[in-house]
Amino acid sequence: AYTMSKYGVSLLVRGLAEELRSQRIAVHALWPARTIATAAVQMLGGAEWMRRSRRPEFFAEAVRALLTREDPLATSGRWYLDEEVLRERGELDFRRYAVD
C-alpha cells in the first residue's frame, strides 16, 4: 500500500506538471533519502531509527532550495531526493543534520 501510494503521487506530479504548465505553476515531488526524525519514525522504529535519522531541518532546506530555484518550470514534473536537491545547490556535508 505504501509503495502504491508513492507511485500514485509520482504520477500525479507528472500529470499536474503538464496540466499547470500553461499557468506557469511548477510541480515537483520531494522524497527523503533517509528517515526524518519525526514522531512517526519514533513510533515505528523506536530509538534506533531516530538515531539513524536526519533532523527535520534537512528536509526543510531541500524544500526551500526547490522553491527558490531560478526557473522551477524547467524541472517541473520531476521527482527528487532531498540529498540530490541540496547537492545541486552545492551543499555536500550533511553531518550537521544528523540526529546522532
Side-chain angles (χ1 to χ4, degrees), residues 14 22 83 89:
R14 289 277 168 96
S22 65
E83 287 182 358
R89 191 175 75 174

Side-chain angles (χ1 to χ4, degrees), residues 31-36 54 58-59 80-84 87:
W31 311 113
R34 290 189 184 177
T35 54
I36 303 297
R54 289 195 171 124
F58 185 78
F59 198 79
Y80 294 95
L81 292 176
D82 51 6
E83 287 182 358
E84 176 186 9
R87 281 191 182 105

Side-chain angles (χ1 to χ4, degrees), residues 16-84:
L16 285 171
E18 289 308 312
E19 186 175 324
L20 299 173
R21 186 175 302 280
S22 65
Q23 297 171 30
R24 302 205 35 82
I25 297 173
V27 182
H28 300 90
L30 184 64
W31 311 113
R34 290 189 184 177
T35 54
I36 303 297
T38 62
V41 168
Q42 174 70 42
M43 181 186 73
L44 294 171
E48 182 61 23
W49 280 21
M50 288 295 280
R51 186 182 68 74
R52 294 180 180 189
S53 296
R54 289 195 171 124
R55 298 180 191 284
E57 293 83 3
F58 185 78
F59 198 79
E61 283 299 317
V63 170
R64 182 190 336 255
L66 270 178
L67 291 174
T68 58
R69 285 188 163 182
E70 195 168 310
D71 183 12
L73 282 173
T75 57
S76 188
R78 282 196 54 198
W79 315 305
Y80 294 95
L81 292 176
D82 51 6
E83 287 182 358
E84 176 186 9

